[in-house]
Amino acid sequence: MLFFSYFKELVGKEVTVELKNDLAIRGILHSVDQYLNIKLENTRVVDQDKYPHMLSVRNCFIRGSVVRYVQLPPDGVDIDILHDATRREARGG
Amino acid sequence: MSCSGLDDVFLSTSLASYLDKKLLVLLRDGRKLLGILRSFDQFANAVLEGACERVIVGDLYCDIPLGLYVIRGENVVLIGELDLEKEELPAHMISVSVAEIKKAQKAERDATDLKGSMRKRMEFLDFD
Amino acid sequence: MASEEESTVKEPLDLIRLSLDERIYVKLRSDRELRGKLHAYDQHLNMILGDVEEIITTVEIDDETYEEIVDTWRCRRNYHYSRD
């Protein structure tokens, strides 16, 4: 639940999602669910020339299972809270 | 529907806003499907009406009509809403017939196959 | 009591717990490597890393000579969530 809760806190912020097929998309995090599926708004593809079919996509749903990385906003990380949450999660699991 | 948990409903809400809209569905094998979303579930299984596959080879493209399609969720990478105000593809891209795009696709495939087979042939020489 | 619980290693993931707030090395699929400070992780090994360096190694075959060209990509990023 740690990452689900964490991403819920990031809603409204700008992130870059890099997929396992190397496609990287920047956009505003609109919502996230328990599977870490992600919905982005106001999206733009980082390497647009390589992905012409994405030209008119402005909003998208990304399946959680295909995400490699999410680049986070610098102010989206409170390190102490993350440490505590991780230790709590480690005890629970 | 009614027995699914609160979180499932949350996800459903997520794709619900795409219902009856023209979408681009990217699949894990790289295929690009276009169509109108008529139904979905919590696994991102989806029903597309008037679906077609958009094949792109270099600057050439072709929309191959498919009809009514059910997509199994595990194959879905991304579902994007197409902004109808915007051009779907860059202006320099050229629409070609199904036969032409298949030919271009084959030429592209043959080129990568050749690269792969040459690599295999070289590999056995690689003793270090 | 609490400190004892914090320091014992009974299962593999306990070792990772002890690496919290340390710089770690992560080897990923498809010839990717990460170095960064571990801020969070879960049982799936989803992680949040800070001040990350990513190294991607690709092997290209030269069109004419069929030589293998090994290329490494380096990039630094500030914060980074990486999925299992």
PDB file of all heavy atoms in Angstrom, chain A residues 30-31 38-43 57-62, chain B residues 12-25 35-40 47-48 78-82:
ATOM      1  N   HIS A  30      -3.142  12.473 -12.784  1.00  0.00           N
ATOM      2  CA  HIS A  30      -4.570  12.692 -12.548  1.00  0.00           C
ATOM      3  C   HIS A  30      -5.108  11.734 -11.496  1.00  0.00           C
ATOM      4  O   HIS A  30      -5.854  12.112 -10.606  1.00  0.00           O
ATOM      5  CB  HIS A  30      -5.327  12.530 -13.867  1.00  0.00           C
ATOM      6  CG  HIS A  30      -6.809  12.390 -13.720  1.00  0.00           C
ATOM      7  ND1 HIS A  30      -7.414  11.185 -13.449  1.00  0.00           N
ATOM      8  CD2 HIS A  30      -7.805  13.298 -13.782  1.00  0.00           C
ATOM      9  CE1 HIS A  30      -8.723  11.376 -13.357  1.00  0.00           C
ATOM     10  NE2 HIS A  30      -8.979  12.641 -13.557  1.00  0.00           N
ATOM     11  N   SER A  31      -4.722  10.459 -11.608  1.00  0.00           N
ATOM     12  CA  SER A  31      -5.170   9.489 -10.611  1.00  0.00           C
ATOM     13  C   SER A  31      -4.315   8.233 -10.664  1.00  0.00           C
ATOM     14  O   SER A  31      -3.571   8.010 -11.617  1.00  0.00           O
ATOM     15  CB  SER A  31      -6.641   9.121 -10.838  1.00  0.00           C
ATOM     16  OG  SER A  31      -6.834   8.645 -12.144  1.00  0.00           O
ATOM     17  N   ILE A  38      -1.945   4.276 -13.878  1.00  0.00           N
ATOM     18  CA  ILE A  38      -1.773   5.720 -13.760  1.00  0.00           C
ATOM     19  C   ILE A  38      -2.561   6.410 -14.854  1.00  0.00           C
ATOM     20  O   ILE A  38      -2.599   5.944 -15.996  1.00  0.00           O
ATOM     21  CB  ILE A  38      -0.272   6.083 -13.911  1.00  0.00           C
ATOM     22  CG1 ILE A  38       0.483   5.674 -12.664  1.00  0.00           C
ATOM     23  CG2 ILE A  38      -0.074   7.563 -14.210  1.00  0.00           C
ATOM     24  CD1 ILE A  38       1.982   5.844 -12.798  1.00  0.00           C
ATOM     25  N   LYS A  39      -3.201   7.508 -14.503  1.00  0.00           N
ATOM     26  CA  LYS A  39      -3.826   8.342 -15.523  1.00  0.00           C
ATOM     27  C   LYS A  39      -3.112   9.683 -15.560  1.00  0.00           C
ATOM     28  O   LYS A  39      -2.932  10.319 -14.520  1.00  0.00           O
ATOM     29  CB  LYS A  39      -5.301   8.546 -15.195  1.00  0.00           C
ATOM     30  CG  LYS A  39      -6.220   8.063 -16.287  1.00  0.00           C
ATOM     31  CD  LYS A  39      -7.651   8.240 -15.907  1.00  0.00           C
ATOM     32  CE  LYS A  39      -8.425   8.860 -17.033  1.00  0.00           C
ATOM     33  NZ  LYS A  39      -9.812   9.145 -16.626  1.00  0.00           N
ATOM     34  N   LEU A  40      -2.698  10.092 -16.737  1.00  0.00           N
ATOM     35  CA  LEU A  40      -1.995  11.367 -16.907  1.00  0.00           C
ATOM     36  C   LEU A  40      -2.849  12.318 -17.746  1.00  0.00           C
ATOM     37  O   LEU A  40      -3.560  11.893 -18.650  1.00  0.00           O
ATOM     38  CB  LEU A  40      -0.658  11.168 -17.621  1.00  0.00           C
ATOM     39  CG  LEU A  40       0.449  10.392 -16.926  1.00  0.00           C
ATOM     40  CD1 LEU A  40       1.685  10.352 -17.806  1.00  0.00           C
ATOM     41  CD2 LEU A  40       0.766  10.987 -15.569  1.00  0.00           C
ATOM     42  N   GLU A  41      -2.726  13.601 -17.445  1.00  0.00           N
ATOM     43  CA  GLU A  41      -3.405  14.625 -18.236  1.00  0.00           C
ATOM     44  C   GLU A  41      -2.370  15.590 -18.790  1.00  0.00           C
ATOM     45  O   GLU A  41      -1.287  15.732 -18.220  1.00  0.00           O
ATOM     46  CB  GLU A  41      -4.420  15.375 -17.368  1.00  0.00           C
ATOM     47  CG  GLU A  41      -5.649  14.532 -17.113  1.00  0.00           C
ATOM     48  CD  GLU A  41      -6.775  15.306 -16.460  1.00  0.00           C
ATOM     49  OE1 GLU A  41      -6.487  16.214 -15.661  1.00  0.00           O
ATOM     50  OE2 GLU A  41      -7.938  14.979 -16.743  1.00  0.00           O
ATOM     51  N   ASN A  42      -2.765  16.273 -19.883  1.00  0.00           N
ATOM     52  CA  ASN A  42      -1.857  17.251 -20.494  1.00  0.00           C
ATOM     53  C   ASN A  42      -0.529  16.619 -20.865  1.00  0.00           C
ATOM     54  O   ASN A  42       0.528  17.178 -20.589  1.00  0.00           O
ATOM     55  CB  ASN A  42      -1.585  18.379 -19.504  1.00  0.00           C
ATOM     56  CG  ASN A  42      -2.293  19.629 -19.926  1.00  0.00           C
ATOM     57  OD1 ASN A  42      -2.268  19.986 -21.102  1.00  0.00           O
ATOM     58  ND2 ASN A  42      -2.942  20.265 -18.981  1.00  0.00           N
ATOM     59  N   THR A  43      -0.606  15.465 -21.499  1.00  0.00           N
ATOM     60  CA  THR A  43       0.607  14.679 -21.723  1.00  0.00           C
ATOM     61  C   THR A  43       1.382  15.158 -22.943  1.00  0.00           C
ATOM     62  O   THR A  43       0.814  15.707 -23.893  1.00  0.00           O
ATOM     63  CB  THR A  43       0.255  13.207 -21.964  1.00  0.00           C
ATOM     64  OG1 THR A  43      -0.698  13.136 -23.021  1.00  0.00           O
ATOM     65  CG2 THR A  43      -0.313  12.572 -20.729  1.00  0.00           C
ATOM     66  N   VAL A  57      -2.566  12.627 -28.586  1.00  0.00           N
ATOM     67  CA  VAL A  57      -2.979  12.101 -27.271  1.00  0.00           C
ATOM     68  C   VAL A  57      -2.681  13.149 -26.200  1.00  0.00           C
ATOM     69  O   VAL A  57      -1.540  13.590 -26.065  1.00  0.00           O
ATOM     70  CB  VAL A  57      -2.261  10.776 -26.957  1.00  0.00           C
ATOM     71  CG1 VAL A  57      -2.560  10.324 -25.533  1.00  0.00           C
ATOM     72  CG2 VAL A  57      -2.670   9.693 -27.952  1.00  0.00           C
ATOM     73  N   ARG A  58      -3.698  13.590 -25.487  1.00  0.00           N
ATOM     74  CA  ARG A  58      -3.533  14.600 -24.443  1.00  0.00           C
ATOM     75  C   ARG A  58      -3.766  14.021 -23.034  1.00  0.00           C
ATOM     76  O   ARG A  58      -3.246  14.530 -22.047  1.00  0.00           O
ATOM     77  CB  ARG A  58      -4.498  15.772 -24.676  1.00  0.00           C
ATOM     78  CG  ARG A  58      -4.043  16.705 -25.772  1.00  0.00           C
ATOM     79  CD  ARG A  58      -2.799  17.510 -25.352  1.00  0.00           C
ATOM     80  NE  ARG A  58      -2.092  18.025 -26.512  1.00  0.00           N
ATOM     81  CZ  ARG A  58      -1.144  17.352 -27.152  1.00  0.00           C
ATOM     82  NH1 ARG A  58      -0.780  16.147 -26.731  1.00  0.00           N
ATOM     83  NH2 ARG A  58      -0.552  17.840 -28.201  1.00  0.00           N
ATOM     84  N   ASN A  59      -4.589  12.959 -22.977  1.00  0.00           N
ATOM     85  CA  ASN A  59      -4.853  12.290 -21.709  1.00  0.00           C
ATOM     86  C   ASN A  59      -4.645  10.802 -21.929  1.00  0.00           C
ATOM     87  O   ASN A  59      -5.006  10.291 -22.972  1.00  0.00           O
ATOM     88  CB  ASN A  59      -6.312  12.472 -21.271  1.00  0.00           C
ATOM     89  CG  ASN A  59      -6.706  13.922 -21.249  1.00  0.00           C
ATOM     90  OD1 ASN A  59      -6.044  14.729 -20.617  1.00  0.00           O
ATOM     91  ND2 ASN A  59      -7.765  14.242 -21.953  1.00  0.00           N
ATOM     92  N   CYS A  60      -4.077  10.122 -20.937  1.00  0.00           N
ATOM     93  CA  CYS A  60      -3.957   8.686 -21.145  1.00  0.00           C
ATOM     94  C   CYS A  60      -3.976   7.890 -19.838  1.00  0.00           C
ATOM     95  O   CYS A  60      -3.725   8.418 -18.753  1.00  0.00           O
ATOM     96  CB  CYS A  60      -2.718   8.352 -21.972  1.00  0.00           C
ATOM     97  SG  CYS A  60      -1.189   8.681 -21.117  1.00  0.00           S
ATOM     98  N   PHE A  61      -4.324   6.619 -20.028  1.00  0.00           N
ATOM     99  CA  PHE A  61      -4.348   5.634 -18.954  1.00  0.00           C
ATOM    100  C   PHE A  61      -3.175   4.694 -19.213  1.00  0.00           C
ATOM    101  O   PHE A  61      -3.024   4.196 -20.330  1.00  0.00           O
ATOM    102  CB  PHE A  61      -5.679   4.881 -19.019  1.00  0.00           C
ATOM    103  CG  PHE A  61      -5.734   3.601 -18.240  1.00  0.00           C
ATOM    104  CD1 PHE A  61      -6.209   3.587 -16.928  1.00  0.00           C
ATOM    105  CD2 PHE A  61      -5.340   2.393 -18.818  1.00  0.00           C
ATOM    106  CE1 PHE A  61      -6.276   2.400 -16.214  1.00  0.00           C
ATOM    107  CE2 PHE A  61      -5.399   1.200 -18.099  1.00  0.00           C
ATOM    108  CZ  PHE A  61      -5.870   1.211 -16.796  1.00  0.00           C
ATOM    109  N   ILE A  62      -2.324   4.487 -18.216  1.00  0.00           N
ATOM    110  CA  ILE A  62      -1.167   3.615 -18.389  1.00  0.00           C
ATOM    111  C   ILE A  62      -1.314   2.427 -17.444  1.00  0.00           C
ATOM    112  O   ILE A  62      -1.552   2.601 -16.247  1.00  0.00           O
ATOM    113  CB  ILE A  62       0.144   4.364 -18.065  1.00  0.00           C
ATOM    114  CG1 ILE A  62       0.320   5.543 -19.035  1.00  0.00           C
ATOM    115  CG2 ILE A  62       1.337   3.429 -18.158  1.00  0.00           C
ATOM    116  CD1 ILE A  62       1.371   6.531 -18.597  1.00  0.00           C
TER     117      ILE A  62
ATOM    118  N   SER B  12     -12.356   1.743 -12.238  1.00  0.00           N
ATOM    119  CA  SER B  12     -13.416   1.837 -13.240  1.00  0.00           C
ATOM    120  C   SER B  12     -13.704   3.297 -13.559  1.00  0.00           C
ATOM    121  O   SER B  12     -13.806   3.674 -14.709  1.00  0.00           O
ATOM    122  CB  SER B  12     -14.694   1.182 -12.732  1.00  0.00           C
ATOM    123  OG  SER B  12     -14.442  -0.169 -12.441  1.00  0.00           O
ATOM    124  N   THR B  13     -13.771   4.095 -12.514  1.00  0.00           N
ATOM    125  CA  THR B  13     -13.979   5.529 -12.689  1.00  0.00           C
ATOM    126  C   THR B  13     -12.916   6.043 -13.652  1.00  0.00           C
ATOM    127  O   THR B  13     -13.178   6.868 -14.512  1.00  0.00           O
ATOM    128  CB  THR B  13     -13.813   6.262 -11.343  1.00  0.00           C
ATOM    129  OG1 THR B  13     -14.511   5.533 -10.360  1.00  0.00           O
ATOM    130  CG2 THR B  13     -14.335   7.660 -11.426  1.00  0.00           C
ATOM    131  N   SER B  14     -11.746   5.491 -13.480  1.00  0.00           N
ATOM    132  CA  SER B  14     -10.615   5.901 -14.274  1.00  0.00           C
ATOM    133  C   SER B  14     -10.850   5.749 -15.780  1.00  0.00           C
ATOM    134  O   SER B  14     -10.613   6.674 -16.530  1.00  0.00           O
ATOM    135  CB  SER B  14      -9.416   5.063 -13.848  1.00  0.00           C
ATOM    136  OG  SER B  14      -8.270   5.802 -13.949  1.00  0.00           O
ATOM    137  N   LEU B  15     -11.297   4.554 -16.225  1.00  0.00           N
ATOM    138  CA  LEU B  15     -11.525   4.374 -17.665  1.00  0.00           C
ATOM    139  C   LEU B  15     -12.930   4.829 -18.089  1.00  0.00           C
ATOM    140  O   LEU B  15     -13.188   5.000 -19.267  1.00  0.00           O
ATOM    141  CB  LEU B  15     -11.312   2.909 -18.068  1.00  0.00           C
ATOM    142  CG  LEU B  15      -9.888   2.501 -18.440  1.00  0.00           C
ATOM    143  CD1 LEU B  15      -9.810   1.011 -18.760  1.00  0.00           C
ATOM    144  CD2 LEU B  15      -9.360   3.305 -19.616  1.00  0.00           C
ATOM    145  N   ALA B  16     -13.802   5.016 -17.099  1.00  0.00           N
ATOM    146  CA  ALA B  16     -15.187   5.393 -17.412  1.00  0.00           C
ATOM    147  C   ALA B  16     -15.236   6.693 -18.196  1.00  0.00           C
ATOM    148  O   ALA B  16     -16.085   6.868 -19.076  1.00  0.00           O
ATOM    149  CB  ALA B  16     -16.002   5.525 -16.137  1.00  0.00           C
ATOM    150  N   SER B  17     -14.317   7.589 -17.918  1.00  0.00           N
ATOM    151  CA  SER B  17     -14.337   8.890 -18.608  1.00  0.00           C
ATOM    152  C   SER B  17     -13.954   8.750 -20.080  1.00  0.00           C
ATOM    153  O   SER B  17     -14.108   9.689 -20.851  1.00  0.00           O
ATOM    154  CB  SER B  17     -13.397   9.866 -17.911  1.00  0.00           C
ATOM    155  OG  SER B  17     -12.073   9.395 -17.992  1.00  0.00           O
ATOM    156  N   TYR B  18     -13.426   7.573 -20.459  1.00  0.00           N
ATOM    157  CA  TYR B  18     -13.049   7.353 -21.864  1.00  0.00           C
ATOM    158  C   TYR B  18     -14.155   6.661 -22.670  1.00  0.00           C
ATOM    159  O   TYR B  18     -14.014   6.459 -23.871  1.00  0.00           O
ATOM    160  CB  TYR B  18     -11.785   6.485 -21.953  1.00  0.00           C
ATOM    161  CG  TYR B  18     -10.518   7.147 -21.457  1.00  0.00           C
ATOM    162  CD1 TYR B  18      -9.356   6.402 -21.290  1.00  0.00           C
ATOM    163  CD2 TYR B  18     -10.464   8.509 -21.175  1.00  0.00           C
ATOM    164  CE1 TYR B  18      -8.174   6.988 -20.846  1.00  0.00           C
ATOM    165  CE2 TYR B  18      -9.297   9.108 -20.726  1.00  0.00           C
ATOM    166  CZ  TYR B  18      -8.161   8.343 -20.573  1.00  0.00           C
ATOM    167  OH  TYR B  18      -7.008   8.920 -20.145  1.00  0.00           O
ATOM    168  N   LEU B  19     -15.241   6.258 -21.988  1.00  0.00           N
ATOM    169  CA  LEU B  19     -16.331   5.554 -22.679  1.00  0.00           C
ATOM    170  C   LEU B  19     -16.889   6.395 -23.822  1.00  0.00           C
ATOM    171  O   LEU B  19     -17.038   7.616 -23.686  1.00  0.00           O
ATOM    172  CB  LEU B  19     -17.457   5.211 -21.697  1.00  0.00           C
ATOM    173  CG  LEU B  19     -17.337   3.886 -20.930  1.00  0.00           C
ATOM    174  CD1 LEU B  19     -18.455   3.785 -19.898  1.00  0.00           C
ATOM    175  CD2 LEU B  19     -17.345   2.691 -21.862  1.00  0.00           C
ATOM    176  N   ASP B  20     -17.176   5.714 -24.954  1.00  0.00           N
ATOM    177  CA  ASP B  20     -17.782   6.343 -26.133  1.00  0.00           C
ATOM    178  C   ASP B  20     -16.883   7.389 -26.788  1.00  0.00           C
ATOM    179  O   ASP B  20     -17.335   8.204 -27.580  1.00  0.00           O
ATOM    180  CB  ASP B  20     -19.148   6.968 -25.788  1.00  0.00           C
ATOM    181  CG  ASP B  20     -20.105   5.929 -25.227  1.00  0.00           C
ATOM    182  OD1 ASP B  20     -20.045   4.775 -25.690  1.00  0.00           O
ATOM    183  OD2 ASP B  20     -20.892   6.264 -24.315  1.00  0.00           O
ATOM    184  N   LYS B  21     -15.605   7.368 -26.439  1.00  0.00           N
ATOM    185  CA  LYS B  21     -14.661   8.290 -27.083  1.00  0.00           C
ATOM    186  C   LYS B  21     -13.729   7.519 -28.009  1.00  0.00           C
ATOM    187  O   LYS B  21     -13.529   6.319 -27.831  1.00  0.00           O
ATOM    188  CB  LYS B  21     -13.851   9.027 -26.026  1.00  0.00           C
ATOM    189  CG  LYS B  21     -14.712   9.984 -25.224  1.00  0.00           C
ATOM    190  CD  LYS B  21     -13.871  10.981 -24.474  1.00  0.00           C
ATOM    191  CE  LYS B  21     -14.745  12.083 -23.912  1.00  0.00           C
ATOM    192  NZ  LYS B  21     -14.504  12.298 -22.497  1.00  0.00           N
ATOM    193  N   LYS B  22     -13.154   8.250 -28.967  1.00  0.00           N
ATOM    194  CA  LYS B  22     -12.199   7.622 -29.866  1.00  0.00           C
ATOM    195  C   LYS B  22     -10.845   7.542 -29.179  1.00  0.00           C
ATOM    196  O   LYS B  22     -10.312   8.555 -28.715  1.00  0.00           O
ATOM    197  CB  LYS B  22     -12.080   8.411 -31.165  1.00  0.00           C
ATOM    198  CG  LYS B  22     -11.269   7.647 -32.197  1.00  0.00           C
ATOM    199  CD  LYS B  22     -11.205   8.331 -33.541  1.00  0.00           C
ATOM    200  CE  LYS B  22     -10.338   7.521 -34.486  1.00  0.00           C
ATOM    201  NZ  LYS B  22     -10.063   8.222 -35.729  1.00  0.00           N
ATOM    202  N   LEU B  23     -10.318   6.317 -29.108  1.00  0.00           N
ATOM    203  CA  LEU B  23      -9.100   6.086 -28.349  1.00  0.00           C
ATOM    204  C   LEU B  23      -8.006   5.434 -29.180  1.00  0.00           C
ATOM    205  O   LEU B  23      -8.266   4.807 -30.203  1.00  0.00           O
ATOM    206  CB  LEU B  23      -9.399   5.156 -27.155  1.00  0.00           C
ATOM    207  CG  LEU B  23     -10.484   5.593 -26.188  1.00  0.00           C
ATOM    208  CD1 LEU B  23     -10.681   4.527 -25.137  1.00  0.00           C
ATOM    209  CD2 LEU B  23     -10.152   6.921 -25.555  1.00  0.00           C
ATOM    210  N   LEU B  24      -6.798   5.603 -28.676  1.00  0.00           N
ATOM    211  CA  LEU B  24      -5.647   4.873 -29.204  1.00  0.00           C
ATOM    212  C   LEU B  24      -5.249   3.865 -28.134  1.00  0.00           C
ATOM    213  O   LEU B  24      -5.049   4.227 -26.975  1.00  0.00           O
ATOM    214  CB  LEU B  24      -4.489   5.843 -29.449  1.00  0.00           C
ATOM    215  CG  LEU B  24      -3.128   5.202 -29.706  1.00  0.00           C
ATOM    216  CD1 LEU B  24      -3.063   4.609 -31.102  1.00  0.00           C
ATOM    217  CD2 LEU B  24      -2.005   6.222 -29.533  1.00  0.00           C
ATOM    218  N   VAL B  25      -5.175   2.592 -28.504  1.00  0.00           N
ATOM    219  CA  VAL B  25      -4.753   1.568 -27.552  1.00  0.00           C
ATOM    220  C   VAL B  25      -3.405   1.013 -28.014  1.00  0.00           C
ATOM    221  O   VAL B  25      -3.296   0.469 -29.106  1.00  0.00           O
ATOM    222  CB  VAL B  25      -5.794   0.426 -27.451  1.00  0.00           C
ATOM    223  CG1 VAL B  25      -5.343  -0.616 -26.431  1.00  0.00           C
ATOM    224  CG2 VAL B  25      -7.159   0.979 -27.064  1.00  0.00           C
ATOM    225  N   GLY B  35     -10.195   3.053 -32.018  1.00  0.00           N
ATOM    226  CA  GLY B  35     -11.606   2.695 -32.012  1.00  0.00           C
ATOM    227  C   GLY B  35     -12.339   3.411 -30.896  1.00  0.00           C
ATOM    228  O   GLY B  35     -11.732   4.153 -30.123  1.00  0.00           O
ATOM    229  N   ILE B  36     -13.641   3.143 -30.823  1.00  0.00           N
ATOM    230  CA  ILE B  36     -14.453   3.789 -29.791  1.00  0.00           C
ATOM    231  C   ILE B  36     -14.661   2.813 -28.631  1.00  0.00           C
ATOM    232  O   ILE B  36     -15.083   1.683 -28.839  1.00  0.00           O
ATOM    233  CB  ILE B  36     -15.791   4.261 -30.388  1.00  0.00           C
ATOM    234  CG1 ILE B  36     -15.503   5.353 -31.436  1.00  0.00           C
ATOM    235  CG2 ILE B  36     -16.720   4.786 -29.314  1.00  0.00           C
ATOM    236  CD1 ILE B  36     -16.678   5.707 -32.293  1.00  0.00           C
ATOM    237  N   LEU B  37     -14.329   3.250 -27.422  1.00  0.00           N
ATOM    238  CA  LEU B  37     -14.435   2.387 -26.243  1.00  0.00           C
ATOM    239  C   LEU B  37     -15.897   2.230 -25.859  1.00  0.00           C
ATOM    240  O   LEU B  37     -16.575   3.208 -25.565  1.00  0.00           O
ATOM    241  CB  LEU B  37     -13.640   2.978 -25.069  1.00  0.00           C
ATOM    242  CG  LEU B  37     -13.618   2.113 -23.800  1.00  0.00           C
ATOM    243  CD1 LEU B  37     -12.777   0.862 -24.019  1.00  0.00           C
ATOM    244  CD2 LEU B  37     -13.096   2.886 -22.597  1.00  0.00           C
ATOM    245  N   ARG B  38     -16.377   0.978 -25.877  1.00  0.00           N
ATOM    246  CA  ARG B  38     -17.771   0.734 -25.507  1.00  0.00           C
ATOM    247  C   ARG B  38     -17.895   0.041 -24.160  1.00  0.00           C
ATOM    248  O   ARG B  38     -18.927   0.092 -23.522  1.00  0.00           O
ATOM    249  CB  ARG B  38     -18.456  -0.109 -26.584  1.00  0.00           C
ATOM    250  CG  ARG B  38     -18.638   0.604 -27.915  1.00  0.00           C
ATOM    251  CD  ARG B  38     -19.465   1.871 -27.798  1.00  0.00           C
ATOM    252  NE  ARG B  38     -19.782   2.401 -29.121  1.00  0.00           N
ATOM    253  CZ  ARG B  38     -20.193   3.631 -29.351  1.00  0.00           C
ATOM    254  NH1 ARG B  38     -20.336   4.487 -28.332  1.00  0.00           N
ATOM    255  NH2 ARG B  38     -20.467   4.039 -30.565  1.00  0.00           N
ATOM    256  N   SER B  39     -16.835  -0.670 -23.717  1.00  0.00           N
ATOM    257  CA  SER B  39     -16.921  -1.369 -22.434  1.00  0.00           C
ATOM    258  C   SER B  39     -15.514  -1.687 -21.929  1.00  0.00           C
ATOM    259  O   SER B  39     -14.559  -1.727 -22.715  1.00  0.00           O
ATOM    260  CB  SER B  39     -17.725  -2.658 -22.612  1.00  0.00           C
ATOM    261  OG  SER B  39     -17.838  -3.318 -21.372  1.00  0.00           O
ATOM    262  N   PHE B  40     -15.392  -1.904 -20.611  1.00  0.00           N
ATOM    263  CA  PHE B  40     -14.088  -2.235 -20.028  1.00  0.00           C
ATOM    264  C   PHE B  40     -14.335  -2.861 -18.654  1.00  0.00           C
ATOM    265  O   PHE B  40     -15.463  -2.843 -18.159  1.00  0.00           O
ATOM    266  CB  PHE B  40     -13.231  -0.973 -19.867  1.00  0.00           C
ATOM    267  CG  PHE B  40     -13.836  -0.008 -18.884  1.00  0.00           C
ATOM    268  CD1 PHE B  40     -13.540  -0.112 -17.532  1.00  0.00           C
ATOM    269  CD2 PHE B  40     -14.717   0.969 -19.307  1.00  0.00           C
ATOM    270  CE1 PHE B  40     -14.121   0.761 -16.619  1.00  0.00           C
ATOM    271  CE2 PHE B  40     -15.303   1.842 -18.407  1.00  0.00           C
ATOM    272  CZ  PHE B  40     -15.007   1.734 -17.058  1.00  0.00           C
ATOM    273  N   VAL B  47     -13.568  -3.285 -24.918  1.00  0.00           N
ATOM    274  CA  VAL B  47     -14.290  -3.530 -26.169  1.00  0.00           C
ATOM    275  C   VAL B  47     -14.191  -2.266 -27.016  1.00  0.00           C
ATOM    276  O   VAL B  47     -14.577  -1.190 -26.576  1.00  0.00           O
ATOM    277  CB  VAL B  47     -15.771  -3.873 -25.910  1.00  0.00           C
ATOM    278  CG1 VAL B  47     -16.520  -4.040 -27.241  1.00  0.00           C
ATOM    279  CG2 VAL B  47     -15.898  -5.148 -25.074  1.00  0.00           C
ATOM    280  N   LEU B  48     -13.644  -2.421 -28.219  1.00  0.00           N
ATOM    281  CA  LEU B  48     -13.519  -1.291 -29.150  1.00  0.00           C
ATOM    282  C   LEU B  48     -14.455  -1.488 -30.319  1.00  0.00           C
ATOM    283  O   LEU B  48     -14.437  -2.534 -30.962  1.00  0.00           O
ATOM    284  CB  LEU B  48     -12.090  -1.190 -29.702  1.00  0.00           C
ATOM    285  CG  LEU B  48     -10.976  -0.587 -28.863  1.00  0.00           C
ATOM    286  CD1 LEU B  48      -9.759  -0.362 -29.741  1.00  0.00           C
ATOM    287  CD2 LEU B  48     -11.394   0.695 -28.175  1.00  0.00           C
ATOM    288  N   LEU B  78      -1.071   1.143 -22.960  1.00  0.00           N
ATOM    289  CA  LEU B  78      -1.560   2.506 -22.737  1.00  0.00           C
ATOM    290  C   LEU B  78      -2.854   2.716 -23.507  1.00  0.00           C
ATOM    291  O   LEU B  78      -3.027   2.153 -24.591  1.00  0.00           O
ATOM    292  CB  LEU B  78      -0.473   3.467 -23.227  1.00  0.00           C
ATOM    293  CG  LEU B  78      -0.704   4.963 -23.311  1.00  0.00           C
ATOM    294  CD1 LEU B  78       0.614   5.669 -23.084  1.00  0.00           C
ATOM    295  CD2 LEU B  78      -1.298   5.374 -24.637  1.00  0.00           C
ATOM    296  N   ILE B  79      -3.771   3.463 -22.915  1.00  0.00           N
ATOM    297  CA  ILE B  79      -4.988   3.860 -23.615  1.00  0.00           C
ATOM    298  C   ILE B  79      -5.017   5.380 -23.635  1.00  0.00           C
ATOM    299  O   ILE B  79      -4.993   6.016 -22.585  1.00  0.00           O
ATOM    300  CB  ILE B  79      -6.248   3.297 -22.919  1.00  0.00           C
ATOM    301  CG1 ILE B  79      -6.201   1.761 -22.913  1.00  0.00           C
ATOM    302  CG2 ILE B  79      -7.516   3.793 -23.622  1.00  0.00           C
ATOM    303  CD1 ILE B  79      -7.392   1.086 -22.276  1.00  0.00           C
ATOM    304  N   GLY B  80      -4.993   5.953 -24.817  1.00  0.00           N
ATOM    305  CA  GLY B  80      -4.925   7.409 -24.921  1.00  0.00           C
ATOM    306  C   GLY B  80      -6.165   7.976 -25.572  1.00  0.00           C
ATOM    307  O   GLY B  80      -6.714   7.383 -26.505  1.00  0.00           O
ATOM    308  N   GLU B  81      -6.605   9.119 -25.063  1.00  0.00           N
ATOM    309  CA  GLU B  81      -7.753   9.798 -25.636  1.00  0.00           C
ATOM    310  C   GLU B  81      -7.244  10.681 -26.776  1.00  0.00           C
ATOM    311  O   GLU B  81      -6.285  11.432 -26.587  1.00  0.00           O
ATOM    312  CB  GLU B  81      -8.398  10.660 -24.546  1.00  0.00           C
ATOM    313  CG  GLU B  81      -9.793  11.087 -24.856  1.00  0.00           C
ATOM    314  CD  GLU B  81     -10.346  12.003 -23.761  1.00  0.00           C
ATOM    315  OE1 GLU B  81      -9.943  11.874 -22.596  1.00  0.00           O
ATOM    316  OE2 GLU B  81     -11.176  12.847 -24.107  1.00  0.00           O
ATOM    317  N   LEU B  82      -7.871  10.567 -27.963  1.00  0.00           N
ATOM    318  CA  LEU B  82      -7.407  11.370 -29.102  1.00  0.00           C
ATOM    319  C   LEU B  82      -8.100  12.732 -29.083  1.00  0.00           C
ATOM    320  O   LEU B  82      -9.323  12.814 -29.020  1.00  0.00           O
ATOM    321  CB  LEU B  82      -7.695  10.630 -30.417  1.00  0.00           C
ATOM    322  CG  LEU B  82      -6.927   9.316 -30.600  1.00  0.00           C
ATOM    323  CD1 LEU B  82      -7.399   8.594 -31.852  1.00  0.00           C
ATOM    324  CD2 LEU B  82      -5.434   9.553 -30.657  1.00  0.00           C
TER     325      LEU B  82
END
